[in-house]
């Protein structure tokens, strides 16, 4: 939500540039010339509660960032994927939302849906003009807050094909490279379990942040469900529930034409 407004599904458009290249954001389209629509997995659509009338801008150090904020109602309490259709004057962008993230997070978890498989394109997207493009999500971030010894714990999950996780440990007086020990496990429905393979440890230049990366083996990809993700830091555990779009094989992205999908490096 914004201010005192209750929590909503929020989508931001952001444009960053240098002040010399685009002073005052003059090259940006007028907000009235941009339309946004949320397509849910059950074939329903939703419009934003209110479309912004002006770009909001902040600047400093020769750079400027301009943004528009759109708020949508929560979707049904299911494990449905969604697509955000953003129509600019010259082309349309389709933003892919992994399933499980358009439902109200305060609602009870939906039951497993064994008949649903990997996410898919909308029927309207299967014959897109060449000018349209698809933007896939890259990672989902979670902030677990302060834990023992003054450490701040956060993590991000990615699932371009196989799942991967990056843990972040932060402390102002520095973090040791060798301690504490960390581990990540995802417990799926039944007895299925994914144990993260510890790949690498990196320290920031300041020494205040440590990043531990993990990769997971391929998880059977039939059905949609939720998994219990357990993070262990020096024998103490922290739990959270995550949708299988973040860990099941091929459930992270809908199969789409490569020439119309913008890659992670923006090309």
């Amino acid at each position: 939500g914004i201010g005192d407004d209750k929590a909503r599904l929020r989508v931001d458009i952001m444009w960053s540039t240098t002040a010399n290249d685009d002073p005052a954001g003059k090259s940006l389209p007028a907000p009235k010339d941009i339309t946004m629509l949320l397509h849910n997995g059950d074939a329903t659509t939703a419009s934003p509660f209110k479309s912004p009338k002006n770009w909001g801008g902040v600047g400093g150090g020769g750079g400027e960032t301009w943004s528009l904020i759109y708020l949508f109602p929560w979707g049904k309490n299911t494990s449905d994927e969604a697509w955000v259709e953003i129509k600019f004057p010259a082309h349309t962008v389709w933003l892919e939302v992994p399933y499980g993230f358009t439902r109200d997070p305060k609602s009870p978890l939906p039951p497993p849906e064994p008949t649903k498989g990997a996410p898919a394109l909308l029927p309207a997207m299967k014959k897109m003009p060449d000018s349209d493009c698809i933007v896939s999500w890259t990672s989902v971030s979670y902030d677990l807050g302060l834990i023992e010894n003054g450490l701040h714990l956060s993590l991000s999950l990615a699932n371009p094909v196989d799942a991967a996780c990056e843990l972040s440990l932060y402390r102002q007086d520095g973090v040791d490279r060798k301690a504490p020990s960390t581990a990540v496990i995802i417990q799926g429905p039944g007895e299925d379990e994914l144990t993260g393979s510890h790949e690498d440890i990196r320290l920031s230049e300041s020494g205040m942040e440590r990043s531990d990366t993990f990769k997971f083996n391929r998880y059977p990809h039939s059905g949609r469900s939720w998994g219990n993700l357990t993070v262990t830091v020096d024998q103490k555990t922290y739990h959270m529930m995550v949708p299988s779009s973040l860990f099941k094989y091929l459930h992270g992205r809908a199969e789409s034409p490569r020439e119309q999908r913008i890659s992670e490096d923006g090309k």
Side-chain angles (χ1 to χ4, degrees):
I2 300 176
D4 294 329
D5 193 14
K6 65 180 180 179
R8 308 281 192 183
L9 180 64
R10 174 172 162 173
V11 180
D12 292 9
I13 298 176
M14 302 185 72
W15 177 276
S16 296
T17 184
T18 64
N20 292 333
D21 289 340
D22 187 18
K26 291 182 179 179
S27 67
L28 295 174
K32 66 179 179 61
D33 296 328
I34 302 172
T35 59
M36 189 179 289
L37 189 66
L38 177 67
H39 295 262
N40 297 303
D42 61 359
T44 61
T45 59
S47 298
F49 287 105
K50 183 171 62 175
S51 296
K53 295 182 179 180
N54 298 292
W55 288 89
V58 294
E64 296 176 333
T65 298
W66 299 88
S67 62
L68 298 174
I69 298 174
Y70 298 80
L71 298 177
F72 290 88
W74 294 114
K76 294 181 179 179
N77 192 29
T78 60
S79 298
D80 280 344
E81 72 268 31
W83 293 88
V84 179
E85 180 185 12
I86 310 171
K87 289 186 177 181
F88 293 99
H91 65 286
T92 297
V93 172
W94 297 88
L95 173 63
E96 185 173 12
V97 183
Y99 63 75
F101 285 98
T102 57
R103 54 179 289 277
D104 187 340
K106 293 182 179 180
S107 299
L109 288 180
E113 299 179 82
T115 62
K116 287 188 176 180
L121 299 180
L122 297 169
M125 299 172 64
K126 293 182 178 179
K127 293 184 179 180
M128 294 187 298
D130 292 339
S131 58
D132 284 10
C133 60
I134 295 171
V135 179
S136 299
W137 65 279
T138 55
S139 63
V140 175
S141 300
Y142 293 90
D143 187 349
L144 284 78
L146 287 174
I147 58 173
E148 79 279 357
N149 299 326
L151 290 168
H152 185 278
L153 174 63
S154 59
L155 64 88
S156 65
L157 289 168
N159 192 21
V161 177
D162 296 311
C165 176
E166 181 172 345
L167 293 184
S168 174
L169 295 170
Y170 174 86
R171 189 169 57 200
Q172 285 189 337
D173 62 354
V175 184
D176 190 271
R177 183 179 182 86
K178 296 182 179 180
S181 61
T182 61
V184 181
I185 293 176
I186 301 175
Q187 180 75 45
E191 300 298 322
D192 296 325
E193 185 175 273
L194 277 175
T195 300
S197 173
H198 205 160
E199 296 286 314
D200 192 19
I201 295 177
R202 302 189 308 274
L203 286 181
S204 63
E205 291 185 5
S206 66
M208 294 189 293
E209 184 174 17
R210 180 181 121 183
S211 297
D212 293 28
T213 54
F214 299 82
K215 290 187 178 180
F216 298 93
N217 290 328
R218 293 186 171 176
Y219 190 99
H221 62 276
S222 59
R224 299 184 184 184
S225 57
W226 290 72
N228 181 10
L229 185 146
T230 300
V231 179
T232 303
V233 181
D234 266 357
Q235 309 306 315
K236 293 188 178 180
T237 57
Y238 307 88
H239 301 273
M240 54 188 297
M241 299 301 294
V242 296
S244 58
S245 56
L246 301 188
F247 61 87
K248 279 195 173 184
Y249 175 55
L250 297 179
H251 275 227
R253 294 178 177 177
E255 185 177 351
S256 58
R258 291 184 178 274
E259 63 273 12
Q260 291 188 279
R261 188 167 65 199
I262 297 177
S263 63
E264 286 82 352
D265 59 8
K267 296 181 181 179

